[in-house]
Structures are given as C-alpha cells and as structure tokens.
Amino acid sequence: MTSDQLQPIRIPDTTAWRYISFNRALNLRAPGELTGDWHFRVMFFCARDEPRKVAGIAGRGTDIDTSRSLGTHGIRDMADELAREKVRPNTGPVFVANHYRAIADLAIAEVQAGFFPRTVTVRCVNQWLDTREQIDTLKNEYLRHLPKQLSGTELAIYEDWLSTIRYEE
C-alpha cells in the first residue's frame, strides 16, 4: 500500500501515568535504540478506507496498570519520533512505554486475563531484546517488581511464567 492510501492511527492524549503501550510501543524506538521498530508502518498506519485505529493505552484508569508497581519507570516522551514519521504533529508530549515496560504490560494483561503469557514467551522476549544485559534489565528493573500487585492464581501464573524468561543464544 502506498503512503497516500494510508492514514495514521489516532494517538489519544497521554501522560506519564497513562501512556501508549503493548505492541505499538514495541514497534517504536528512540534514536540510538537497537530493539523494536520492525513493524512500524503496520502499527502506526491503517488504510484510509477503514475506520481509524487508536493506539492502546495502559496505566492509571485502564485495565492494565503496572504503575502500582513501576510508577513511571520506562515511560518516555516520543512526540519527536512520531512527528518525524508523520504519525502526529508535534503539538505536545506523547508518552510511550519503552520496550521493557511494554513487555511488562503485555505480561500483566495476559495474566489478568487468566492466561500463562502466550504473547510474551521466552522466544519472543529474545527476539525483542538482543543481549543478556537487556534481558537482565527487563527482569531486574521491571518484571521482578510486578508481583507486588498480584495475588492468588494470578501471582502463581506470573511466577511460573517469570521463571521461564532468560537469555537464549
């Protein structure tokens, strides 16, 4: 599809506490980042003849709120990058999860739905993150903090899943 046949998705208002996450965040990277951004066009544009898609929001007041465990850690303003790619004019901040935070949000979404995370498998994590250090950052700075907001079956599912996440060469 050519660019004249596409329209950018709608970017809702965001704050550091209510931000774009999930797969869209995994497909947007800041300058100098080496992970993500492999399906940017599919994630941030849709056909002009279909209803305009909206970026998914996580955080306070949404079903997926990891801010209880992580605060605003890993949330950054990506307005410049979205403007550069002609998704949205740079008319103010657009807060987006970094790749680590987006993975944490995806995992919590599936656990809260009662599933062992299927989207966030060790294979996927190792495709999204490239080094042992990145996997260690994911686990130590993000994933190890999330059990604070889980209990019962959700906590058991999460802990079983967390034990599977490791760096694989």
Side-chain angles (χ1 to χ4, degrees):
M1 214 175 264
T2 63
S3 60
D4 62 322
Q5 296 172 309
L6 297 174
Q7 64 180 334
I9 65 167
R10 191 172 73 74
I11 305 293
D13 291 339
T14 61
T15 71
W17 294 97
R18 285 179 55 91
Y19 52 90
I20 296 169
S21 190
F22 315 115
N23 287 338
R24 284 196 171 81
L26 280 171
N27 285 282
L28 179 63
R29 65 177 169 209
E33 284 182 332
L34 301 176
T35 60
D37 195 31
W38 56 97
H39 295 115
F40 180 84
R41 194 173 187 93
V42 172
M43 288 287 121
F44 288 93
F45 290 89
C46 57
R48 285 200 187 279
D49 62 351
E50 68 182 29
R52 196 168 180 199
K53 296 176 183 170
V54 180
I57 299 291
R60 288 192 177 158
T62 72
D63 291 337
I64 307 305
D65 183 5
T66 55
S67 66
R68 292 174 281 167
S69 299
L70 298 172
T72 60
H73 186 56
I75 309 302
R76 69 266 177 90
D77 179 8
M78 298 292 281
D80 288 344
E81 287 72 25
L82 291 167
R84 189 175 304 115
E85 296 293 339
K86 299 183 179 13
V87 174
R88 176 184 182 271
N90 193 348
T91 56
V94 178
F95 293 96
V96 180
N98 68 15
H99 301 128
Y100 305 112
R101 183 68 177 258
I103 292 167
D105 289 340
L106 283 166
I108 287 295
E110 291 190 329
V111 166
Q112 287 179 342
F115 302 115
F116 189 88
R118 299 174 304 213
T119 302
V120 190
T121 64
V122 67
R123 185 179 67 77
C124 289
V125 169
N126 278 270
Q127 288 177 338
W128 297 330
L129 303 175
D130 300 320
T131 66
R132 182 178 310 279
E133 293 75 24
Q134 290 173 338
I135 301 290
D136 289 346
T137 297
L138 172 68
K139 288 185 82 168
N140 295 328
E141 292 185 27
Y142 294 84
L143 301 180
R144 293 203 192 280
H145 297 281
L146 295 178
K148 296 175 192 172
Q149 67 185 65
L150 300 171
S151 62
T153 303
E154 287 180 352
L155 179 58
I157 292 170
Y158 185 81
E159 287 176 340
D160 284 347
W161 167 79
L162 183 57
S163 70
T164 69
I165 302 301
R166 64 192 171 284
Y167 178 71
E168 294 183 340
E169 294 189 53

